Amino acid sequence: MSLLSCRNLAVTLRDRVIFEEVSLDLAPGELVGLIGPNGAGKTTLMRAILGLLPHGGSSSLAALSPGARALKAAWMPQARDIAWPVRVEDLVALGRLPHRARPAQDHAAIEAALDRMGLQRLRHRRATRLSGGEQARVLLARALAQEAPVLLADEPIAGLDPEHQIATMTALRMLADEGRGVILSLHDLGLAARHCTRLILLAEGQLLADGPPEEVLSPGLVARAFRITAYRADTPNGPVFQPLTTL
Amino acid sequence: MTRGLIPLLLLATLLLALLSLSTGPVALSPLQGLKALLLGGDGPLPVILRAIRLPRTLLAVMIGGSLGLSGAALQGYLRNPLAEPGVIGISGAAALGAVLAIQTGLAALFALALPLAALGGALIAVLVLLGMSGRRAGSLTLILSGIAISALTGAATSLVLNLSPNPFATSEIVFWMMGSLADRSMSHVWLAAPFMALGLILFLPVGRGLEALTLGEDAAASLGIALPALRLRIVLGTACMVGAGTAVAGSIGFVGLVVPHLLRPLVGARPGRLLWASMLGGAVMVLAADVAVRLILPDRDLKLGVLTALIGAPFFLHLVWATRRERA
């Protein structure tokens, strides 16, 4: 059973081919890290999967009506837009908009999302007054409150302190372990190696690799896609991946 | 605070409407006014109430509500606290239509020629606006097209005044543009009412979309909000409401800007809730201002639009000051 399925996705923006022939599936229980150098098209790929921009090929999510898709997939964009000084709990509650649920159900989903992201202490604060990292957690909590089987998040841990980077990755992994499917883009290959169940490497306008972290983060692929060398080790505390030098 | 706000604003609207009915050259108590209005009776009072003060009061509520509602909707859609109905060019285009009607003498032919010409101006502006901001265009295209239409209609209005050979028409235009509710009749109410009702219907379901837009256009779209449909509703709704308001009363500035700004902190800054609070708040503000113009200078016909701008502009400065401090 797959949560989403894409065949031969291709996006061309202003006569420039961003990527072509991207096919992938997402199964319940997967925490998929989408990695690739700047400008590889990670954001574009996730927006194409959701059907938020014109694309070739097919995506099972893009084929749905906007209302039905909102129940299937939550999306946390990279731009951390919070237009008005609303309270944190009101912002998280926006994730309930697609649902026509009972208030008790909405309330439970909002509380669960606040708990997962450790935001109970901030719930009455104005979201616009928080720091960038705190805002990122609030926006991710909003996406969690949507309680969709699929979560796509664009660099959700960028700008977070180490504690909250690890806490967020752990929370996302728990979400996957509970049977949802998560795709997130990230640049921290060390965290990707430790927490993701699977990595997708987007580079050179195509899906360069798709598999378990240890396969995708092979020296050859890392050198080809990122033009770096790295230190890799399996330790008693789990895999370690540390980029070292540029090529 | 939030829960009691709407009933409080409703109460204020009712009380000010009563005050508006009893304010004028013929002094009477609100109770006397209500009695003459509802029960009729002998003498001039029922006529004064029904033919002069009732349309004035109704128009103040309708126009104030329109300005407040469309101001809140535009600020929510454009995610900009400085947006107001004038910013998308509708009121400017409606004013140009009215000015042309006065200048060409069309306005003298029959009573509703002027408001109809103003509505025509608003309609043309909407068509240009919708043509410019196609299906995939974002809110920035809308705001830029609106500013261009505002500038163009403003220049065309100035041109008419500039070349006008008729000083009487010129002074009539100038006074009309100041915005007023004096000497309006029930026919003005009946002309504006269907457009405003249509606008209201268009605005009814936009709250959900505006709430979602707090998170930006991409996140709103992913929450299942159809943004092109939302934009269409807001542009058409504003055009109907503000176009009709400008058509019967001239330009009444700053209400659509100030009222949403004032009420935003009282609704937890939520754009969906702000809509209806702002509609009532607009009615309160225009009613109060229209009572004030009759009390401050009873025999000089102080123009409503002048007073709202006089109160509104310092407020605008305060808003700019406050945002400057917040960003520093």
Side-chain angles (χ1 to χ4, degrees):
Chain A
M1 187 190 96
S2 100
L3 294 171
L4 77 86
S5 159
C6 304
R7 290 290 163 267
N8 299 319
L9 269 188
V11 173
T12 304
L13 296 174
R14 287 179 212 90
D15 295 329
R16 201 168 73 88
V17 177
I18 309 295
F19 55 77
E20 338 175 81
E21 293 183 7
V22 172
S23 297
L24 59 92
D25 292 85
L26 180 70
E30 286 193 298
L31 174 57
V32 179
L34 177 57
I35 57 174
N38 289 139
K42 298 184 292 296
T43 300
T44 306
L45 174 58
M46 288 200 275
R47 295 186 70 217
I49 289 173
L50 286 159
L52 293 176
L53 51 75
H55 56 85
S58 70
S59 154
S60 59
L61 286 179
L64 297 172
S65 75
R69 183 193 60 214
L71 294 172
K72 275 267 187 211
W75 166 231
M76 176 193 171
Q78 189 176 7
R80 286 160 190 175
D81 280 328
I82 301 175
W84 306 109
V86 295
R87 287 186 310 171
V88 166
E89 58 181 12
D90 289 337
L91 197 77
V92 173
L94 292 179
R96 302 306 296 168
L97 278 178
H99 296 268
R100 312 261 178 207
R102 288 190 305 275
Q105 238 172 314
D106 287 340
H107 182 75
I110 294 162
E111 292 303 318
L114 287 170
D115 283 336
R116 263 188 214 275
M117 297 314 300
L119 291 168
Q120 288 291 357
R121 204 171 46 79
L122 299 178
R123 63 182 300 163
H124 297 298
R125 295 268 300 275
R126 303 270 159 202
T128 42
R129 305 261 164 89
L130 302 178
S131 76
E134 289 169 333
Q135 289 183 346
R137 284 156 55 207
V138 171
L139 290 172
L140 189 57
R142 189 284 300 170
L144 294 182
Q146 206 168 329
E147 294 197 325
V150 176
L151 169 65
L152 288 102
D154 199 358
E155 300 205 19
I157 60 167
L160 267 59
D161 59 40
E163 179 200 347
H164 286 108
Q165 284 193 337
I166 296 170
T168 301
M169 291 303 289
T170 311
L172 291 176
R173 181 62 182 263
M174 268 173 63
L175 215 60
D177 290 343
E178 289 163 17
R180 295 199 232 174
V182 181
I183 300 180
L184 81 156
S185 67
L186 74 173
H187 281 297
D188 191 319
L189 302 179
L191 286 170
R194 285 184 70 84
H195 297 277
C196 294
T197 63
R198 175 180 152 202
L199 293 183
I200 289 177
L201 175 56
L202 192 67
E204 301 167 11
Q206 56 174 320
L207 213 158
L208 211 53
D210 178 353
E214 59 274 18
E215 268 175 37
V216 175
L217 292 174
S218 73
L221 278 171
V222 168
R224 182 174 162 192
F226 294 100
R227 309 183 55 73
I228 56 168
T229 63
Y231 168 79
R232 294 161 28 114
D234 273 311
T235 73
N237 295 318
V240 169
F241 184 95
Q242 174 63 48
L244 294 176
T245 58
T246 57
L247 286 173
Chain B
M1 180 66 120
T2 309
R3 202 160 298 159
L5 184 65
I6 297 277
L8 202 71
L9 287 169
L10 264 175
L11 187 69
T13 308
L14 276 177
L15 291 179
L16 279 164
L18 270 181
L19 191 62
S20 170
L21 284 173
S22 52
T23 307
V26 179
L28 62 159
S29 75
L31 217 59
Q32 280 175 300
L34 203 59
K35 201 174 144 204
L37 179 68
L38 296 178
L39 303 175
D42 299 325
L45 266 191
V47 179
I48 290 174
L49 261 296
R50 285 175 183 172
I52 298 172
R53 293 196 192 165
L54 182 64
R56 184 167 190 159
T57 304
L58 285 176
L59 284 175
V61 172
M62 288 157 58
I63 290 169
S66 298
L67 290 170
L69 180 58
S70 43
L74 279 171
Q75 291 187 5
Y77 177 69
L78 298 171
R79 281 164 295 144
N80 188 335
L82 303 182
E84 59 131 0
V87 91
I88 61 167
I90 305 290
S91 28
L96 178 61
V99 165
L100 285 173
I102 297 173
Q103 177 60 34
T104 55
L106 190 68
L109 287 184
F110 60 106
L112 294 180
L114 187 148
L116 285 173
L119 276 172
L123 182 71
I124 292 169
V126 171
L127 292 179
V128 175
L129 213 52
L130 291 179
M132 285 291 299
S133 48
R135 264 192 71 81
R136 287 239 169 227
S139 54
L140 191 64
T141 317
L142 181 66
I143 210 168
L144 290 176
S145 316
I147 288 171
I149 293 171
S150 286
L152 189 65
T153 53
T157 303
S158 299
L159 183 69
V160 172
L161 287 170
N162 185 186
L163 300 181
S164 171
N166 180 348
F168 295 107
T170 307
S171 85
E172 198 186 336
I173 289 170
V174 169
F175 278 113
W176 184 85
M177 286 202 305
M178 289 177 188
S180 169
L181 290 173
D183 307 324
R184 300 302 193 268
S185 67
M186 283 309 282
S187 57
H188 288 98
V189 174
W190 292 125
L191 178 74
F195 290 97
M196 291 189 170
L198 181 61
L200 191 64
I201 291 168
L202 284 166
F203 276 126
L204 276 178
V206 304
R208 236 169 74 89
L210 294 182
E211 293 273 313
L213 269 175
T214 304
L215 299 163
E217 296 193 3
D218 224 32
S222 79
L223 282 166
I225 305 297
L227 293 174
L230 181 68
R231 182 177 57 227
L232 191 65
R233 278 182 179 278
I234 288 173
V235 170
L236 288 180
T238 304
C240 287
M241 297 194 102
V242 177
T246 310
V248 293
S251 344
I252 295 166
F254 283 103
V255 177
L257 175 75
V258 168
V259 170
H261 172 63
L262 259 177
L263 295 173
R264 182 166 291 116
L266 303 181
V267 294
R270 296 180 54 179
R273 282 193 188 169
L274 181 60
L275 282 177
W276 311 109
S278 187
M279 181 176 84
L280 293 172
V284 168
M285 181 170 170
V286 171
L287 273 171
D290 190 46
V291 170
V293 294
R294 281 176 274 174
L295 293 177
I296 295 169
L297 288 175
D299 32 58
R300 283 299 312 273
D301 187 24
L302 178 59
K303 297 290 185 189
L304 178 63
V306 176
L307 190 75
T308 56
L310 267 181
I311 303 170
F315 228 95
F316 190 79
L317 283 175
H318 164 75
L319 174 65
V320 175
W321 178 255
T323 48
R324 197 193 72 157
R325 241 189 351 203
E326 205 148 279
R327 279 178 196 154

